Amino acid sequence: MACRVQKRISLRRKLHILRVLTNSNSAKRTSISNTTILRLYKLKLALETVKRHYENLLAARGEHVNLLNHVKENKDVKIEKVRAGTFMVKVTCEKGSNKLVTILEAFDEMCLNVQQAKVSCEKDFSLEAIVVAEDQTLDLRDVTEALLKAIGKQSGENSQKFDKSCDF
């Protein structure tokens, strides 16, 4: 007899917990179980929606990473004018053959003298240099276009050839 009472008390406790979790107001066992099943079904649908969203995000991330891996254009030229005729040049591009030589040749064509330079070839090729122009009228755009042409990047405009004679 005591065993039946304990089972009944245990069942009532479990039904009370289910009623609280499912926000059910009914005291009937079948109504509570129906509400519980409905609640579990809604949670299952919500979980499937979250899984689909997560898989879509992973696919989009994979496509983005794939696109980034295939992009080869990581060339960057930044030039700041320090004072009249003096420029701070920062060049970053992928490693390749004779990048330094072509950049120095471009400097030579524009009659720019390199005062100080730092070159690194760990992951990419990078150059930081302070250059002084013999021609004080040299513009930032001219230097940028010449360097982009030297490292192989096509600028949208036609680049000028620098056929000036340097006074040494």
Side-chain angles (χ1 to χ4, degrees):
M1 179 92 164
C3 186
R4 283 185 182 173
V5 173
Q6 287 178 349
K7 284 184 180 179
R8 194 177 309 143
I9 292 172
S10 174
L11 181 63
R12 283 184 185 162
R13 239 187 249 136
K14 289 177 185 175
L15 287 174
H16 177 72
I17 291 171
L18 281 176
R19 193 176 327 130
V20 170
L21 289 175
T22 59
N23 296 327
S24 176
N25 294 327
S26 177
K28 293 183 179 178
R29 191 183 324 172
T30 56
S31 178
I32 293 172
S33 52
N34 285 340
T35 308
T36 304
I37 290 171
L38 181 64
R39 175 83 172 173
L40 288 173
Y41 182 72
K42 287 180 180 179
L43 288 173
K44 181 182 174 187
L45 288 176
L47 180 64
E48 288 173 356
T49 304
V50 168
K51 280 183 180 179
R52 268 195 313 272
H53 187 64
Y54 178 71
E55 289 170 358
N56 290 340
L57 287 175
L58 282 179
R61 179 180 169 254
E63 289 174 10
H64 182 70
V65 168
N66 192 20
L67 286 173
L68 285 177
N69 288 339
H70 284 87
V71 172
K72 302 272 183 185
E73 296 279 332
N74 61 346
K75 301 170 186 165
D76 189 25
V77 175
K78 293 180 184 175
I79 300 175
E80 298 175 15
K81 194 170 193 173
V82 178
R83 55 182 171 266
T86 305
F87 302 100
M88 176 68 173
V89 178
K90 294 180 183 180
V91 177
T92 305
C93 60
E94 73 274 357
K95 286 185 186 180
S97 60
N98 299 330
K99 295 286 185 188
L100 181 61
V101 173
T102 57
I103 291 172
L104 292 177
E105 286 174 351
F107 285 159
D108 190 40
E109 287 177 9
M110 291 183 289
C111 299
L112 292 172
N113 296 323
V114 179
Q115 282 190 337
Q116 183 180 2
K118 266 199 226 178
V119 179
S120 172
C121 289
E122 284 184 31
K123 293 179 183 176
D124 296 335
F125 173 82
S126 64
L127 167 89
E128 291 183 15
I130 298 175
V131 294
V132 178
E134 292 179 9
D135 182 12
Q136 299 294 323
T137 62
L138 198 59
D139 191 17
L140 287 173
R141 190 175 350 139
D142 298 333
V143 178
T144 305
E145 286 180 7
L147 288 176
L148 287 172
K149 184 179 176 187
I151 62 174
K153 186 173 184 178
Q154 298 294 327
S155 60
E157 306 167 5
N158 294 335
S159 298
Q160 299 176 359
K161 277 275 191 182
F162 289 93
D163 292 330
K164 300 177 182 177
S165 61
C166 296
D167 298 327
F168 288 108

